[in-house]
Amino acid sequence: PYALNVSHLELFPLIASVVRELRANMNSPFFHLGYDERAETLECYRQEHNPVDFDQFESKLERILEYTGMPMDKVLRYDNEEQVEYPKRAGRITHYRYKDVGAINTTEPFFLSTGLMLRDTETNLEDAWDLYQHAQRCKAANPAGVIIFVETIDDMILKALNIRQRLLAVALGLLDGPPMKKEDYQRTFETACNDLSNRDCHLFGKHRNNKDVQDELRSRRDKAVASACKLRVRNFTNYLPRPGLV
């Protein structure tokens, strides 16, 4: 299957159509190339005894992105956690996880990412105040942007884990201006939460963290990884690249 063959001619029209569709449905000036999906499918390549030509793929990917109007200085890439050397790596903005913030040594623009839950190994986020302080630490690193992982849009999980309130807590921490004292922050949080017509504006805490829900999220992720090599991608579009693009 050409999903496991980066030199297959039908792969790049597929990528071009996916990029075009994503850009048509997003209003962000940035475009993230992901990471988890590739890391998870490396085992598929090993099973197929098919080494990946990263340079070939990356150089063609960059041409496709530029062809669809996406400038490379707006394209995000994760830090090279695989430690694979490929000089033609697409994307000019590096995306680091918060746990690696102490090792960032660059004058180039970068993004930071973090989660919202207690299960994060790099954080201990128990309530809205903890999240606010964590957001302040992210801001202090002076990134070009901060990415917050939500994990799911399942309404039951959003409510059980107070995701909307957690997002508000982080957003307040990323605002311009001097840090707030805890009492001032709590008043600001409750006011903003009520203004958003949120019926549940408590500051949450340990007792609100639902271990069963978090276990369910982990289980879903593990199943997706385990089944990754069984899935195959098919091209259902008629988009063709400009002559010479691939």
Side-chain angles (χ1 to χ4, degrees), residues 10 13 69 75 95 100 119 124 143 162 244:
E10 292 185 21
V75 175
H95 170 185
D100 300 318
R119 63 181 181 79
N124 183 30
N162 307 301

Side-chain angles (χ1 to χ4, degrees), residues 144-193:
V146 176
I147 298 172
I148 306 298
F149 287 123
V150 176
E151 292 281 356
T152 180
I153 57 173
D154 183 291
D155 193 57
M156 181 274 291
I157 295 177
L158 290 177
K159 291 179 180 178
L161 298 180
N162 307 301
I163 298 298
R164 294 181 178 88
Q165 295 94 312
R166 290 176 183 273
L167 285 171
L168 173 60
V170 170
L172 292 174
L174 296 175
L175 290 175
D176 292 333
M180 287 185 272
K181 296 180 179 180
K182 186 173 184 178
E183 296 76 13
D184 295 333
Y185 170 72
Q186 289 176 336
R187 285 194 295 269
T188 301
F189 176 90
E190 291 172 352
T191 299
C193 187

Side-chain angles (χ1 to χ4, degrees), residues 158-224:
L158 290 177
K159 291 179 180 178
L161 298 180
N162 307 301
I163 298 298
R164 294 181 178 88
Q165 295 94 312
R166 290 176 183 273
L167 285 171
L168 173 60
V170 170
L172 292 174
L174 296 175
L175 290 175
D176 292 333
M180 287 185 272
K181 296 180 179 180
K182 186 173 184 178
E183 296 76 13
D184 295 333
Y185 170 72
Q186 289 176 336
R187 285 194 295 269
T188 301
F189 176 90
E190 291 172 352
T191 299
C193 187
N194 287 316
D195 288 345
L196 293 172
S197 300
N198 196 322
R199 298 178 181 177
D200 196 4
C201 288
H202 57 78
L203 298 175
F204 48 93
K206 291 181 180 179
H207 65 286
R208 298 290 296 182
N209 291 311
N210 190 321
K211 182 178 182 301
D212 292 337
V213 175
Q214 294 184 41
D215 289 343
E216 171 65 19
L217 285 174
R218 276 192 292 271
S219 175
R220 292 183 188 183
R221 187 67 170 174
D222 291 344
K223 289 178 181 177

Side-chain angles (χ1 to χ4, degrees), residues 31-245:
F31 192 89
H32 200 303
L33 295 180
Y35 162 75
D36 292 352
E37 298 79 9
R38 187 175 71 186
E40 291 165 4
T41 54
L42 286 178
E43 178 59 30
C44 308
Y45 288 97
R46 284 190 286 269
Q47 291 180 18
E48 296 282 333
H49 305 290
N50 183 13
V52 186
D53 187 340
F54 281 110
D55 269 0
Q56 178 187 167
F57 179 78
E58 295 282 334
S59 61
K60 290 185 177 182
L61 177 60
E62 183 165 321
R63 292 166 68 185
I64 288 171
L65 289 167
E66 291 176 338
Y67 171 67
T68 59
M70 194 71 234
M72 286 300 101
D73 62 354
K74 298 295 184 182
V75 175
L76 279 70
R77 296 300 303 268
Y78 261 111
D79 184 27
N80 188 4
E81 296 183 2
E82 304 130 303
Q83 297 303 305
V84 176
E85 292 298 328
Y86 47 105
K88 296 179 181 178
R89 192 166 183 253
R92 303 287 180 267
I93 300 178
T94 301
H95 170 185
Y96 296 93
R97 300 178 195 274
Y98 177 78
K99 65 183 179 62
D100 300 318
V101 67
I104 298 174
N105 183 22
T106 179
T107 58
E108 300 296 324
F110 67 92
F111 272 54
L112 277 181
S113 66
T114 186
L116 296 171
M117 310 311 305
L118 274 169
R119 63 181 181 79
D120 289 354
T121 57
E122 74 269 27
T123 58
N124 183 30
L125 311 178
E126 298 178 356
D127 59 27
W129 176 243
D130 291 329
L131 276 166
Y132 172 78
Q133 292 180 303
H134 180 60
Q136 287 275 297
R137 291 190 290 271
C138 289
K139 186 172 72 170
N142 199 30
V146 176
I147 298 172
I148 306 298
F149 287 123
V150 176
E151 292 281 356
T152 180
I153 57 173
D154 183 291
D155 193 57
M156 181 274 291
I157 295 177
L158 290 177
K159 291 179 180 178
L161 298 180
N162 307 301
I163 298 298
R164 294 181 178 88
Q165 295 94 312
R166 290 176 183 273
L167 285 171
L168 173 60
V170 170
L172 292 174
L174 296 175
L175 290 175
D176 292 333
M180 287 185 272
K181 296 180 179 180
K182 186 173 184 178
E183 296 76 13
D184 295 333
Y185 170 72
Q186 289 176 336
R187 285 194 295 269
T188 301
F189 176 90
E190 291 172 352
T191 299
C193 187
N194 287 316
D195 288 345
L196 293 172
S197 300
N198 196 322
R199 298 178 181 177
D200 196 4
C201 288
H202 57 78
L203 298 175
F204 48 93
K206 291 181 180 179
H207 65 286
R208 298 290 296 182
N209 291 311
N210 190 321
K211 182 178 182 301
D212 292 337
V213 175
Q214 294 184 41
D215 289 343
E216 171 65 19
L217 285 174
R218 276 192 292 271
S219 175
R220 292 183 188 183
R221 187 67 170 174
D222 291 344
K223 289 178 181 177
V225 173
S227 64
C229 297
K230 300 177 182 178
L231 303 177
R232 294 295 182 263
V233 179
R234 293 177 175 84
N235 186 0
F236 292 102
T237 76
N238 293 319
Y239 284 122
L240 293 175
R242 184 175 57 192
L245 179 62

Side-chain angles (χ1 to χ4, degrees), residues 2 10-19 233-237:
Y2 61 78
E10 292 185 21
L11 175 60
F12 293 96
L14 171 65
I15 293 175
S17 67
V18 170
V19 171
V233 179
R234 293 177 175 84
N235 186 0
F236 292 102
T237 76

